[in-house]
């Protein structure tokens, strides 16, 4: 069995839904379980709708609801050829939209959107998309079985960020998914959605359909978890910066997690975990080019290679430099500093520290006044905005001191404001002013990625 997860852009409109149907049809002998996200943009619209309803804003709400309906009706009109089937599907969507309107009305009348109410509402994106996809599959001769994710993905009940209970999932999957597969059907379920211990709807956090796919795959011991998206896979660099960037045929889990951290929005890092633990390969594939091999994410040992994987980068970060005004070393300096950063709403993405000073990279603009107040008089903090992080990623960095040395040397040459080798992750990162970032990425890619290609050729 395999799990095939299709992201929102893969089911963006009727044409894309039909492309997904063809992809699923081509994999039937692998006995797929299909997990699908909400249609592209739908979860954002639902978030908007919840906010408008919670403000009691009827004028704000109506156009959002209209846009939601339009998107789904268009998809149905284009993806379901048979009039009878289209009619039946439209009736079941009518019922869902009616529920959605009632729930939103309740929130609007109360003027308050609790996390529990928000979850109940956000789930509609996936409840709708899975119905449409199941009907479209049926329409093209695939025996699809629509499965409600709330019957399968039991969670800890934390609204907005629920965690699937894998032991419970193994049990519910055996009951709900496996019999369908055994009977030659293709289970189709929305991602992102689950049910808490009290059976109330919970969501797994934005991008949570990957988590669903990985959790289901782990629970049933799938041969492979396929994440179908709209790019060929993970890349050696951001192709907008480096035109020579290539798709990586395989990466280790640690490398994939590192790349996700640097904004490769292809794979949600949390999704990697249950699959890693069970050594189930995750493959990233492109719905637009189903024949390309994509990127295979493997467990550490299997993914171990001598090459460097990628030059990742991220813009729009801030550097916060903090220094103790005390003359003597103060063991409480670091814990106090990080507590102050946290109270200021600043989570450190990267930190280089000593007992008397710290350089911390944060991805949000820092409120200088607030930070100064939280740090207190004995600690001085300065903030520099408009910074970027460039990171050379490869599990080989953890194993090979010679490669590590060359990478550190190259990063030192770009005159970084901070340079970080933690030894914990498969990367070395440097912080530079944003205007120097692109050139740095290009030169590092030339040296370490394209250079490798030439050496290997
Ligand atoms: N539809 C949800 C979101 O947009 C979940 C997902 O797409 O993975 O966050
Ligand atoms: Mg989505």
């Amino acid at each position: 069995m395999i799990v095939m997860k299709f992201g929102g852009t893969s089911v963006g409109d009727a044409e894309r839904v039909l492309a997904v149907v063809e992809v699923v049809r081509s994999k039937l002998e692998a006995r797929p379980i299909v997990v699908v996200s909400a249609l592209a943009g739908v979860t954002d619209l639902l978030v908007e709708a919840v906010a408008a309803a919670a403000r009691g804003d009827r004028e704000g709400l109506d156009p959002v609801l209209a846009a939601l309906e339009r998107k789904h009706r268009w998809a149905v009109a284009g993806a379901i050829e048979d009039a009878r089937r289209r009619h039946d599907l439209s009736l079941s969507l009518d019922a869902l939209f009616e529920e959605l309107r009632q729930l939103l009305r309740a929130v609007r009348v109360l003027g308050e959107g609790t996390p529990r109410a928000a979850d109940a509402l956000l789930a509609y994106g996936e409840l709708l998309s899975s119905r449409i996809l199941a009907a479209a599959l049926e329409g093209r001769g695939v025996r699809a079985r629509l499965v409600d994710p709330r019957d399968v993905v039991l969670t800890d009940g934390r609204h907005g960020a629920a965690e699937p209970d894998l032991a419970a999932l193994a049990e519910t999957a055996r009951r709900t998914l496996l019999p369908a597969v055994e009977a030659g059907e293709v289970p189709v379920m929305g991602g992102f959605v689950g049910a808490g211990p009290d059976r109330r709807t919970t969501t797994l956090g934005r991008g949570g359909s990957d988590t669903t796919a990985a959790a289901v795959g782990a629970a049933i011991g799938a041969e492979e978890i396929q994440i179908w998206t709209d790019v060929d896979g993970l890349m050696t660099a951001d192709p907008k910066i480096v035109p020579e960037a290539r798709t990586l045929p395989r990466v280790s889990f640690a490398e994939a997690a590192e790349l996700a951290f640097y904004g490769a929005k292809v794979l949600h890092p949390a999704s990697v975990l249950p699959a890693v633990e069970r050594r189930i390969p995750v493959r990233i594939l492109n719905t637009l080019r189903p024949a390309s091999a994509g990127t295979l994410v493997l467990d550490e040992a299997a993914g171990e290679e001598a090459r460097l994987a990628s030059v990742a980068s991220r813009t729009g970060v801030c550097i916060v430099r903090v220094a103790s005004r005390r003359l003597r070393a103060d063991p409480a300096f670091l814990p106090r500093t990080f507590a102050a950063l946290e109270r200021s709403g600043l989570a450190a993405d990267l930190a280089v520290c000593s007992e008397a000073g710290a350089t911390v990279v944060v991805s949000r603009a820092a409120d200088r006044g607030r930070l100064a107040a939280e740090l207190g008089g004995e600690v001085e903090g300065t903030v520099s905005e408009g910074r970027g992080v460039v990171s050379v990623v490869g599990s080989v960095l953890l194993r090979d001191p010679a490669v590590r040395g060359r990478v550190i040397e190259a990063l030192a040459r770009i005159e970084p404001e901070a340079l970080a080798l933690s030894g914990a992750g498969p990367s070395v990162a440097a912080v530079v002013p944003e205007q120097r970032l692109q050139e740095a990425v290009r030169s590092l890619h030339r040296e370490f990625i394209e250079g490798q290609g030439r050496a290997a050729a």
Side-chain angles (χ1 to χ4, degrees):
M1 276 178 291
I2 60 171
V3 174
M4 304 177 81
K5 177 260 174 175
F6 296 92
T9 49
S10 293
V11 287
D13 56 34
E15 201 186 316
R16 305 299 310 275
V17 171
L18 288 174
V20 166
V21 168
E22 287 318 307
V23 169
V24 173
R25 261 160 55 100
S26 74
K27 302 279 182 199
L28 288 178
E29 83 289 356
R31 305 205 298 162
I33 292 172
V34 172
V35 173
V36 64
S37 292
L39 305 193
V42 162
T43 308
D44 287 335
L45 284 171
L46 285 167
V47 168
E48 233 181 289
V50 176
R55 288 194 307 269
D57 175 2
R58 186 178 210 153
E59 282 78 65
L61 193 52
D62 287 344
V64 181
L65 260 169
L68 275 168
E69 271 213 61
R70 204 161 45 235
K71 255 184 203 295
H72 291 95
R73 302 288 181 195
W74 269 107
V76 171
I80 315 294
E81 286 127 345
D82 176 61
R84 174 86 224 153
R85 196 183 302 285
R86 194 161 60 231
H87 176 75
D88 290 349
L89 176 62
S90 297
L91 289 183
S92 78
L93 294 203
D94 287 346
L96 285 174
F97 276 113
E98 185 49 35
E99 283 171 31
L100 181 61
R101 265 191 297 273
Q102 277 180 20
L103 277 169
L104 281 167
R105 181 162 185 280
V107 170
R108 180 171 60 77
V109 170
L110 290 170
E112 180 184 281
T114 60
R116 197 170 97 184
D119 267 1
L121 285 157
L122 295 188
Y124 278 84
E126 272 72 10
L127 298 180
L128 287 158
S129 67
S130 54
R131 266 177 186 68
I132 295 173
L133 181 56
L137 282 162
E138 290 271 349
R140 295 253 169 128
V142 177
R143 288 170 56 210
R145 161 94 62 109
L146 182 67
V147 174
D148 189 321
R150 291 167 295 195
D151 294 333
V152 183
V153 183
L154 303 184
T155 72
D156 61 2
R158 257 184 64 204
H159 289 291
E163 297 242 6
D165 174 343
L166 289 180
L169 184 49
E171 188 44 44
T172 52
R174 227 189 324 275
R175 270 204 321 269
T176 55
L177 301 175
L178 298 193
V181 175
E182 295 302 332
E185 297 173 339
V186 176
V188 177
M189 62 185 267
F192 176 60
V193 176
D198 55 5
R199 286 318 207 131
R200 284 184 199 285
T201 305
T202 50
T203 63
L204 311 183
R206 295 304 305 269
S209 295
D210 287 355
T211 312
T212 304
V216 168
I220 61 160
E223 267 156 67
E224 186 167 288
I225 295 163
Q226 302 185 340
I227 307 288
W228 288 85
T229 174
D230 57 354
V231 294
D232 281 344
L234 293 170
M235 301 199 69
T236 56
D238 179 346
K240 286 198 233 54
I241 301 176
V242 183
E244 292 80 12
R246 287 177 286 107
T247 304
L248 284 154
R250 42 198 270 159
V251 295
S252 69
F253 275 115
E255 288 168 343
E258 196 74 25
L259 294 178
F261 175 74
Y262 282 98
K265 293 195 188 68
V266 188
L267 187 71
H268 199 258
S271 76
V272 165
L273 212 61
V276 180
E277 286 165 357
R278 286 167 181 75
R279 311 232 144 169
I280 297 172
V282 175
R283 192 186 288 276
I284 299 161
L285 289 152
N286 189 348
T287 326
L288 296 170
R289 302 196 326 131
S292 71
T295 298
L296 188 58
V297 186
L298 293 163
D299 73 78
E300 225 48 71
E304 215 161 86
E305 295 189 47
R307 56 100 185 93
L308 286 161
S310 183
V311 180
S313 57
R314 183 147 136 187
T315 54
V317 303
C318 269
I319 286 190
V320 180
R321 276 191 211 279
V322 175
S324 170
R325 288 201 171 104
R326 287 197 188 178
L327 292 176
R328 260 175 300 126
D330 171 8
F333 165 73
L334 284 177
R336 272 197 280 111
T337 296
F338 281 96
L341 284 170
E342 199 185 326
R343 287 196 302 274
S344 312
L346 302 172
D349 279 350
L350 194 83
V352 185
C353 321
S354 73
E355 72 289 351
T359 298
V360 177
V361 174
V362 296
S363 52
R364 285 226 275 135
D367 175 342
R368 288 182 169 76
R370 170 109 186 262
L371 181 65
E374 295 289 359
L375 285 170
E378 291 194 350
V379 178
E380 183 177 32
T382 59
V383 178
S384 319
E385 273 142 25
R387 295 315 196 253
V389 185
V390 53
S391 172
V392 178
V393 179
S395 292
V396 64
L397 287 165
L398 294 170
R399 295 191 308 269
D400 189 334
V403 176
R404 191 161 60 228
R406 281 196 289 121
V407 168
I408 292 171
E409 225 175 84
L411 285 170
R413 279 199 303 273
I414 63 173
E415 295 178 38
E417 294 173 298
L419 182 62
L421 162 77
S422 75
S427 72
V428 186
V431 186
V432 293
E434 233 162 40
Q435 62 273 20
R436 279 178 27 219
L437 185 72
Q438 298 211 348
E439 190 36 49
V441 173
R442 279 192 286 267
S443 77
L444 290 162
H445 192 270
R446 254 191 320 270
E447 180 168 356
F448 291 111
I449 309 290
E450 293 160 51
Q452 287 181 140
R454 269 196 301 278

